[in-house]
Amino acid sequence: MSLTKKRRLLVRTAILAVLIAAAGYTLYANATKGTRGKLQAGDQAPDFVLKDLNGKTYRLSDYKGRGVFLNFWGTWCDPCKKEMPYMNELYQTYKQKGVEILAVHVKDTRFLVDQFVKQYGLDFPVLIDKNGDVQNAYNIDPLPTTVLIAPDGKVKKIIVGNQNLSKKDIRNMMDMIKP
């Protein structure tokens, strides 16, 4: 076999090996994507730092010893429009009992968020996840999703998607994470 044919065979073999490795990785990644990095009850809640609409900084770890009702939402989300007034009604009462609401907004413009907050008269902190970093860290999809964080910083429960939460449901969730 000539030197040229040997080189060609070597290059083709290397290319084939790379393609097989890439295909294998793709199959593995797709087969395990539902379980990789999925936050679950009992896990430590990932710490984050976000700013609210006024530029005030909030760090999850600052709430150690308090329950945190962490709500991921969007202005276009119909269930969010129903839940937010209930959350707002319960906010002051549960804040005094050691439960904080942090509403993490994703996907919309600042203008739309401001309008939503004014329309519903929200008193609790509305944080802006501009780059989606916190949404990704918590593996949030779809909206709304609420993560109940116990005073020890561990996830107590995750409520995903359109659950049509009532005021009673939200009150029960807040009771679950009271110190």
Side-chain angles (χ1 to χ4, degrees), residues 67-69 86-91 93-95 97-101 124 148 167-179:
V68 178
F69 187 94
Y86 298 143
M87 291 164 51
N88 203 49
E89 283 180 48
L90 297 168
Y91 176 60
T93 300
Y94 278 88
K95 185 175 181 174
K97 294 178 179 184
V99 176
E100 185 65 52
I101 294 176
F124 50 80
L148 303 178
K167 184 176 177 181
K168 181 181 178 186
D169 294 331
I170 293 171
R171 180 182 291 117
N172 290 340
M173 287 183 236
M174 290 184 172
D175 282 335
M176 285 176 61
I177 56 175
K178 266 191 317 192

mmCIF file of all heavy atoms in Angstrom, residues 67-69 86-91 93-95 97-101 124 148 167-179:
data_model
loop_
_atom_site.group_PDB
_atom_site.id
_atom_site.type_symbol
_atom_site.label_atom_id
_atom_site.label_comp_id
_atom_site.label_asym_id
_atom_site.label_seq_id
_atom_site.Cartn_x
_atom_site.Cartn_y
_atom_site.Cartn_z
ATOM 1 N N GLY A 67 -38.317 31.099 55.409
ATOM 2 C CA GLY A 67 -38.837 30.364 54.267
ATOM 3 C C GLY A 67 -38.865 31.289 53.062
ATOM 4 O O GLY A 67 -39.075 32.495 53.205
ATOM 5 N N VAL A 68 -38.639 30.744 51.882
ATOM 6 C CA VAL A 68 -38.675 31.560 50.665
ATOM 7 C C VAL A 68 -39.632 30.918 49.659
ATOM 8 O O VAL A 68 -39.487 29.752 49.298
ATOM 9 C CB VAL A 68 -37.279 31.725 50.029
ATOM 10 C CG1 VAL A 68 -37.366 32.531 48.738
ATOM 11 C CG2 VAL A 68 -36.324 32.403 51.006
ATOM 12 N N PHE A 69 -40.598 31.707 49.246
ATOM 13 C CA PHE A 69 -41.557 31.346 48.205
ATOM 14 C C PHE A 69 -40.993 31.949 46.926
ATOM 15 O O PHE A 69 -41.168 33.126 46.657
ATOM 16 C CB PHE A 69 -42.918 31.962 48.570
ATOM 17 C CG PHE A 69 -44.069 31.560 47.693
ATOM 18 C CD1 PHE A 69 -44.885 30.496 48.056
ATOM 19 C CD2 PHE A 69 -44.365 32.262 46.534
ATOM 20 C CE1 PHE A 69 -45.973 30.144 47.264
ATOM 21 C CE2 PHE A 69 -45.439 31.914 45.740
ATOM 22 C CZ PHE A 69 -46.254 30.847 46.109
ATOM 23 N N TYR A 86 -53.114 36.913 44.831
ATOM 24 C CA TYR A 86 -53.177 36.106 46.055
ATOM 25 C C TYR A 86 -51.860 36.191 46.823
ATOM 26 O O TYR A 86 -51.852 36.330 48.050
ATOM 27 C CB TYR A 86 -53.470 34.641 45.739
ATOM 28 C CG TYR A 86 -54.794 34.380 45.065
ATOM 29 C CD1 TYR A 86 -54.907 33.405 44.081
ATOM 30 C CD2 TYR A 86 -55.953 35.085 45.405
ATOM 31 C CE1 TYR A 86 -56.113 33.143 43.460
ATOM 32 C CE2 TYR A 86 -57.166 34.833 44.784
ATOM 33 C CZ TYR A 86 -57.235 33.861 43.813
ATOM 34 O OH TYR A 86 -58.433 33.601 43.201
ATOM 35 N N MET A 87 -50.763 36.094 46.079
ATOM 36 C CA MET A 87 -49.451 36.203 46.717
ATOM 37 C C MET A 87 -49.312 37.554 47.405
ATOM 38 O O MET A 87 -48.822 37.643 48.528
ATOM 39 C CB MET A 87 -48.334 36.014 45.675
ATOM 40 C CG MET A 87 -48.235 34.595 45.140
ATOM 41 S SD MET A 87 -47.278 34.422 43.607
ATOM 42 C CE MET A 87 -45.768 35.265 43.992
ATOM 43 N N ASN A 88 -49.756 38.601 46.730
ATOM 44 C CA ASN A 88 -49.646 39.955 47.271
ATOM 45 C C ASN A 88 -50.494 40.113 48.537
ATOM 46 O O ASN A 88 -50.060 40.748 49.499
ATOM 47 C CB ASN A 88 -50.056 40.975 46.207
ATOM 48 C CG ASN A 88 -49.467 42.329 46.476
ATOM 49 O OD1 ASN A 88 -48.272 42.460 46.725
ATOM 50 N ND2 ASN A 88 -50.305 43.350 46.432
ATOM 51 N N GLU A 89 -51.703 39.532 48.524
ATOM 52 C CA GLU A 89 -52.584 39.612 49.694
ATOM 53 C C GLU A 89 -51.952 38.956 50.923
ATOM 54 O O GLU A 89 -52.132 39.429 52.043
ATOM 55 C CB GLU A 89 -53.913 38.916 49.402
ATOM 56 C CG GLU A 89 -54.861 39.708 48.540
ATOM 57 C CD GLU A 89 -56.156 38.937 48.298
ATOM 58 O OE1 GLU A 89 -56.735 38.412 49.281
ATOM 59 O OE2 GLU A 89 -56.567 38.867 47.128
ATOM 60 N N LEU A 90 -51.230 37.860 50.704
ATOM 61 C CA LEU A 90 -50.652 37.101 51.810
ATOM 62 C C LEU A 90 -49.254 37.576 52.206
ATOM 63 O O LEU A 90 -48.736 37.173 53.251
ATOM 64 C CB LEU A 90 -50.599 35.615 51.435
ATOM 65 C CG LEU A 90 -51.954 34.953 51.183
ATOM 66 C CD1 LEU A 90 -51.772 33.581 50.539
ATOM 67 C CD2 LEU A 90 -52.731 34.850 52.484
ATOM 68 N N TYR A 91 -48.650 38.425 51.404
ATOM 69 C CA TYR A 91 -47.246 38.795 51.576
ATOM 70 C C TYR A 91 -46.928 39.369 52.955
ATOM 71 O O TYR A 91 -46.042 38.868 53.651
ATOM 72 C CB TYR A 91 -46.823 39.775 50.484
ATOM 73 C CG TYR A 91 -45.412 40.282 50.646
ATOM 74 C CD1 TYR A 91 -44.334 39.410 50.652
ATOM 75 C CD2 TYR A 91 -45.157 41.646 50.804
ATOM 76 C CE1 TYR A 91 -43.039 39.862 50.804
ATOM 77 C CE2 TYR A 91 -43.866 42.106 50.953
ATOM 78 C CZ TYR A 91 -42.815 41.216 50.946
ATOM 79 O OH TYR A 91 -41.537 41.665 51.105
ATOM 80 N N THR A 93 -48.567 39.394 55.830
ATOM 81 C CA THR A 93 -48.850 38.473 56.935
ATOM 82 C C THR A 93 -47.749 37.437 57.067
ATOM 83 O O THR A 93 -47.240 37.181 58.164
ATOM 84 C CB THR A 93 -50.198 37.760 56.702
ATOM 85 O OG1 THR A 93 -51.215 38.746 56.623
ATOM 86 C CG2 THR A 93 -50.509 36.781 57.818
ATOM 87 N N TYR A 94 -47.366 36.836 55.941
ATOM 88 C CA TYR A 94 -46.359 35.772 55.995
ATOM 89 C C TYR A 94 -44.943 36.314 56.143
ATOM 90 O O TYR A 94 -44.079 35.617 56.685
ATOM 91 C CB TYR A 94 -46.499 34.826 54.803
ATOM 92 C CG TYR A 94 -47.581 33.808 55.081
ATOM 93 C CD1 TYR A 94 -48.908 34.077 54.768
ATOM 94 C CD2 TYR A 94 -47.276 32.615 55.714
ATOM 95 C CE1 TYR A 94 -49.901 33.166 55.065
ATOM 96 C CE2 TYR A 94 -48.268 31.699 56.019
ATOM 97 C CZ TYR A 94 -49.578 31.976 55.695
ATOM 98 O OH TYR A 94 -50.560 31.074 56.006
ATOM 99 N N LYS A 95 -44.718 37.531 55.724
ATOM 100 C CA LYS A 95 -43.400 38.131 55.951
ATOM 101 C C LYS A 95 -43.149 38.241 57.455
ATOM 102 O O LYS A 95 -42.051 37.967 57.930
ATOM 103 C CB LYS A 95 -43.318 39.506 55.280
ATOM 104 C CG LYS A 95 -41.950 40.133 55.377
ATOM 105 C CD LYS A 95 -41.866 41.426 54.594
ATOM 106 C CE LYS A 95 -40.458 41.977 54.729
ATOM 107 N NZ LYS A 95 -40.249 43.131 53.905
ATOM 108 N N LYS A 97 -44.309 36.284 59.602
ATOM 109 C CA LYS A 97 -44.169 34.919 60.115
ATOM 110 C C LYS A 97 -42.873 34.257 59.644
ATOM 111 O O LYS A 97 -42.658 33.079 59.896
ATOM 112 C CB LYS A 97 -45.362 34.065 59.664
ATOM 113 C CG LYS A 97 -46.683 34.497 60.246
ATOM 114 C CD LYS A 97 -47.814 33.634 59.725
ATOM 115 C CE LYS A 97 -49.145 34.060 60.327
ATOM 116 N NZ LYS A 97 -50.252 33.185 59.907
ATOM 117 N N GLY A 98 -42.036 34.996 58.931
ATOM 118 C CA GLY A 98 -40.745 34.453 58.516
ATOM 119 C C GLY A 98 -40.695 33.864 57.121
ATOM 120 O O GLY A 98 -39.795 33.095 56.810
ATOM 121 N N VAL A 99 -41.672 34.225 56.272
ATOM 122 C CA VAL A 99 -41.691 33.730 54.900
ATOM 123 C C VAL A 99 -41.579 34.921 53.946
ATOM 124 O O VAL A 99 -42.338 35.885 54.057
ATOM 125 C CB VAL A 99 -42.986 32.944 54.584
ATOM 126 C CG1 VAL A 99 -43.026 32.521 53.115
ATOM 127 C CG2 VAL A 99 -43.092 31.726 55.486
ATOM 128 N N GLU A 100 -40.625 34.847 53.031
ATOM 129 C CA GLU A 100 -40.400 35.913 52.052
ATOM 130 C C GLU A 100 -40.837 35.439 50.672
ATOM 131 O O GLU A 100 -40.655 34.269 50.330
ATOM 132 C CB GLU A 100 -38.915 36.283 52.013
ATOM 133 C CG GLU A 100 -38.581 37.435 51.125
ATOM 134 C CD GLU A 100 -39.187 38.756 51.589
ATOM 135 O OE1 GLU A 100 -39.010 39.125 52.758
ATOM 136 O OE2 GLU A 100 -39.835 39.420 50.753
ATOM 137 N N ILE A 101 -41.430 36.331 49.906
ATOM 138 C CA ILE A 101 -41.746 36.045 48.505
ATOM 139 C C ILE A 101 -40.699 36.739 47.652
ATOM 140 O O ILE A 101 -40.445 37.933 47.818
ATOM 141 C CB ILE A 101 -43.144 36.569 48.104
ATOM 142 C CG1 ILE A 101 -44.236 35.826 48.853
ATOM 143 C CG2 ILE A 101 -43.344 36.434 46.595
ATOM 144 C CD1 ILE A 101 -45.641 36.357 48.576
ATOM 145 N N PHE A 124 -44.309 42.787 47.032
ATOM 146 C CA PHE A 124 -43.154 41.920 47.274
ATOM 147 C C PHE A 124 -42.074 42.175 46.221
ATOM 148 O O PHE A 124 -42.349 42.747 45.166
ATOM 149 C CB PHE A 124 -43.559 40.442 47.309
ATOM 150 C CG PHE A 124 -44.388 39.991 46.141
ATOM 151 C CD1 PHE A 124 -43.805 39.682 44.920
ATOM 152 C CD2 PHE A 124 -45.764 39.878 46.264
ATOM 153 C CE1 PHE A 124 -44.564 39.256 43.850
ATOM 154 C CE2 PHE A 124 -46.539 39.462 45.196
ATOM 155 C CZ PHE A 124 -45.931 39.153 43.986
ATOM 156 N N LEU A 148 -40.471 26.116 46.699
ATOM 157 C CA LEU A 148 -40.621 26.399 48.123
ATOM 158 C C LEU A 148 -39.323 26.014 48.810
ATOM 159 O O LEU A 148 -38.902 24.853 48.749
ATOM 160 C CB LEU A 148 -41.792 25.606 48.701
ATOM 161 C CG LEU A 148 -43.151 25.841 48.036
ATOM 162 C CD1 LEU A 148 -44.213 24.959 48.672
ATOM 163 C CD2 LEU A 148 -43.547 27.305 48.111
ATOM 164 N N LYS A 167 -55.921 31.020 46.528
ATOM 165 C CA LYS A 167 -55.336 31.705 47.683
ATOM 166 C C LYS A 167 -55.068 30.691 48.795
ATOM 167 O O LYS A 167 -54.031 30.743 49.454
ATOM 168 C CB LYS A 167 -56.297 32.801 48.162
ATOM 169 C CG LYS A 167 -55.755 33.641 49.286
ATOM 170 C CD LYS A 167 -56.729 34.764 49.618
ATOM 171 C CE LYS A 167 -56.260 35.592 50.782
ATOM 172 N NZ LYS A 167 -57.220 36.668 51.102
ATOM 173 N N LYS A 168 -55.959 29.731 48.967
ATOM 174 C CA LYS A 168 -55.788 28.692 49.981
ATOM 175 C C LYS A 168 -54.562 27.830 49.665
ATOM 176 O O LYS A 168 -53.790 27.503 50.571
ATOM 177 C CB LYS A 168 -57.038 27.820 50.049
ATOM 178 C CG LYS A 168 -56.970 26.733 51.095
ATOM 179 C CD LYS A 168 -58.230 25.891 51.108
ATOM 180 C CE LYS A 168 -58.087 24.785 52.139
ATOM 181 N NZ LYS A 168 -59.212 23.870 52.093
ATOM 182 N N ASP A 169 -54.363 27.488 48.383
ATOM 183 C CA ASP A 169 -53.185 26.701 47.985
ATOM 184 C C ASP A 169 -51.898 27.446 48.343
ATOM 185 O O ASP A 169 -50.965 26.862 48.890
ATOM 186 C CB ASP A 169 -53.180 26.433 46.473
ATOM 187 C CG ASP A 169 -54.317 25.541 46.013
ATOM 188 O OD1 ASP A 169 -54.779 24.691 46.796
ATOM 189 O OD2 ASP A 169 -54.744 25.701 44.847
ATOM 190 N N ILE A 170 -51.869 28.727 48.017
ATOM 191 C CA ILE A 170 -50.670 29.528 48.278
ATOM 192 C C ILE A 170 -50.440 29.666 49.786
ATOM 193 O O ILE A 170 -49.311 29.547 50.260
ATOM 194 C CB ILE A 170 -50.773 30.899 47.575
ATOM 195 C CG1 ILE A 170 -50.737 30.676 46.054
ATOM 196 C CG2 ILE A 170 -49.654 31.837 48.017
ATOM 197 C CD1 ILE A 170 -51.050 31.893 45.221
ATOM 198 N N ARG A 171 -51.503 29.857 50.546
ATOM 199 C CA ARG A 171 -51.393 29.938 52.007
ATOM 200 C C ARG A 171 -50.816 28.621 52.553
ATOM 201 O O ARG A 171 -49.912 28.629 53.391
ATOM 202 C CB ARG A 171 -52.749 30.217 52.645
ATOM 203 C CG ARG A 171 -52.680 30.303 54.170
ATOM 204 C CD ARG A 171 -54.029 30.544 54.832
ATOM 205 N NE ARG A 171 -54.505 31.882 54.535
ATOM 206 C CZ ARG A 171 -55.624 32.159 53.855
ATOM 207 N NH1 ARG A 171 -56.390 31.192 53.400
ATOM 208 N NH2 ARG A 171 -55.989 33.395 53.635
ATOM 209 N N ASN A 172 -51.319 27.488 52.072
ATOM 210 C CA ASN A 172 -50.816 26.186 52.526
ATOM 211 C C ASN A 172 -49.336 26.015 52.193
ATOM 212 O O ASN A 172 -48.575 25.469 52.996
ATOM 213 C CB ASN A 172 -51.629 25.049 51.910
ATOM 214 C CG ASN A 172 -53.031 24.966 52.471
ATOM 215 O OD1 ASN A 172 -53.314 25.484 53.556
ATOM 216 N ND2 ASN A 172 -53.932 24.339 51.734
ATOM 217 N N MET A 173 -48.918 26.483 51.018
ATOM 218 C CA MET A 173 -47.509 26.395 50.633
ATOM 219 C C MET A 173 -46.649 27.247 51.551
ATOM 220 O O MET A 173 -45.560 26.825 51.966
ATOM 221 C CB MET A 173 -47.324 26.840 49.180
ATOM 222 C CG MET A 173 -47.828 25.846 48.169
ATOM 223 S SD MET A 173 -47.470 26.439 46.524
ATOM 224 C CE MET A 173 -49.076 26.421 45.816
ATOM 225 N N MET A 174 -47.114 28.440 51.867
ATOM 226 C CA MET A 174 -46.362 29.322 52.748
ATOM 227 C C MET A 174 -46.279 28.742 54.154
ATOM 228 O O MET A 174 -45.239 28.853 54.820
ATOM 229 C CB MET A 174 -46.954 30.721 52.752
ATOM 230 C CG MET A 174 -46.734 31.434 51.443
ATOM 231 S SD MET A 174 -47.349 33.124 51.530
ATOM 232 C CE MET A 174 -46.763 33.763 49.987
ATOM 233 N N ASP A 175 -47.341 28.080 54.587
ATOM 234 C CA ASP A 175 -47.322 27.415 55.896
ATOM 235 C C ASP A 175 -46.272 26.293 55.923
ATOM 236 O O ASP A 175 -45.663 26.045 56.956
ATOM 237 C CB ASP A 175 -48.698 26.850 56.252
ATOM 238 C CG ASP A 175 -49.668 27.930 56.746
ATOM 239 O OD1 ASP A 175 -49.194 28.975 57.249
ATOM 240 O OD2 ASP A 175 -50.893 27.720 56.592
ATOM 241 N N MET A 176 -46.075 25.630 54.782
ATOM 242 C CA MET A 176 -45.100 24.535 54.701
ATOM 243 C C MET A 176 -43.666 24.998 54.962
ATOM 244 O O MET A 176 -42.837 24.206 55.399
ATOM 245 C CB MET A 176 -45.118 23.905 53.291
ATOM 246 C CG MET A 176 -46.280 23.037 52.998
ATOM 247 S SD MET A 176 -46.253 22.459 51.270
ATOM 248 C CE MET A 176 -44.727 21.540 51.223
ATOM 249 N N ILE A 177 -43.380 26.262 54.675
ATOM 250 C CA ILE A 177 -41.989 26.738 54.779
ATOM 251 C C ILE A 177 -41.790 27.765 55.890
ATOM 252 O O ILE A 177 -40.723 28.376 55.988
ATOM 253 C CB ILE A 177 -41.504 27.304 53.417
ATOM 254 C CG1 ILE A 177 -42.429 28.409 52.901
ATOM 255 C CG2 ILE A 177 -41.360 26.185 52.410
ATOM 256 C CD1 ILE A 177 -41.952 29.096 51.641
ATOM 257 N N LYS A 178 -42.786 27.911 56.741
ATOM 258 C CA LYS A 178 -42.634 28.824 57.886
ATOM 259 C C LYS A 178 -41.554 28.285 58.819
ATOM 260 O O LYS A 178 -41.500 27.080 59.056
ATOM 261 C CB LYS A 178 -43.947 28.909 58.688
ATOM 262 C CG LYS A 178 -44.845 30.010 58.317
ATOM 263 C CD LYS A 178 -45.970 30.224 59.287
ATOM 264 C CE LYS A 178 -46.635 28.979 59.772
ATOM 265 N NZ LYS A 178 -47.895 29.221 60.483
ATOM 266 N N PRO A 179 -40.739 29.177 59.367
ATOM 267 C CA PRO A 179 -39.746 28.718 60.355
ATOM 268 C C PRO A 179 -40.414 28.240 61.632
ATOM 269 O O PRO A 179 -41.502 28.578 61.938
ATOM 270 C CB PRO A 179 -38.890 29.949 60.622
ATOM 271 C CG PRO A 179 -39.349 31.019 59.720
ATOM 272 C CD PRO A 179 -40.610 30.574 59.048
#
